[in-house]
Amino acid sequence: MKILVVDDNEKTHEILKELLLFLGHQVQTTARGTEAITMLERILPDIVITDRRMPGMSGEELIRKIKESLPHLPIILMTADFLSNTERKVITAAGASDIITKPFSEEELARVLDSVVKVSPA
């Protein structure tokens, strides 16, 4: 799968890139939501993984923008924040396919990717 990773923390997106490459995926990264929007048409990812807290455009804002033009594109939101059930519902209502809490293991990431792919429309 082609995966676009959006995270303003360079170390995080490099570790995630290495992990996703190890799992057999093609990976592109960017540190900004606005750049992610412009990259979508060019790289046509199968999944977007975005951080929640980024300067300029939050992960939730990015999800809403992506869903305007690509409503079926699966998006996984990463966060280090504790999220209440209400916050989780709001984020999934905005279009997140799943939420993963940092730090996460390789196994957890693989499980979330697998579950997102299984429920996404073909």
Side-chain angles (χ1 to χ4, degrees):
M1 284 186 293
K2 288 187 279 185
I3 300 175
L4 174 60
V5 175
V6 188
D7 194 316
D8 63 313
N9 183 306
E10 187 175 335
K11 185 174 182 174
T12 300
H13 73 75
E14 285 304 315
I15 290 169
L16 191 52
K17 181 177 181 176
E18 288 178 27
L19 181 55
L20 290 166
L21 288 170
F22 177 76
L23 292 171
H25 303 290
Q26 298 173 30
V27 184
Q28 294 285 325
T29 62
T30 182
R32 303 206 179 285
T34 52
E35 187 174 314
I37 297 290
T38 61
M39 291 174 73
L40 288 173
E41 268 190 42
R42 184 170 37 92
I43 65 172
L44 301 171
D46 299 303
I47 294 178
V48 173
I49 301 175
T50 183
D51 191 26
R52 182 177 188 207
R53 295 186 184 268
M54 297 180 293
M57 182 184 295
S58 72
E60 286 121 320
E61 290 173 290
L62 177 60
I63 291 168
R64 284 191 287 277
K65 288 203 179 284
I66 291 172
K67 291 298 181 171
E68 287 173 7
S69 58
L70 299 166
H72 299 296
L73 181 63
I75 305 171
I76 298 169
L77 182 85
M78 298 182 295
T79 184
D81 300 329
F82 170 79
L83 298 176
S84 68
N85 286 337
T86 301
E87 288 173 309
R88 287 181 172 277
K89 287 177 183 175
V90 167
I91 292 167
T92 53
S97 304
D98 208 334
I99 301 166
I100 191 166
T101 304
K102 298 185 221 177
F104 47 83
S105 66
E106 173 185 330
E107 294 80 16
E108 186 177 2
L109 178 61
R111 180 194 56 76
V112 168
L113 286 170
D114 189 49
S115 71
V116 167
V117 169
K118 284 182 181 175
V119 298
S120 295

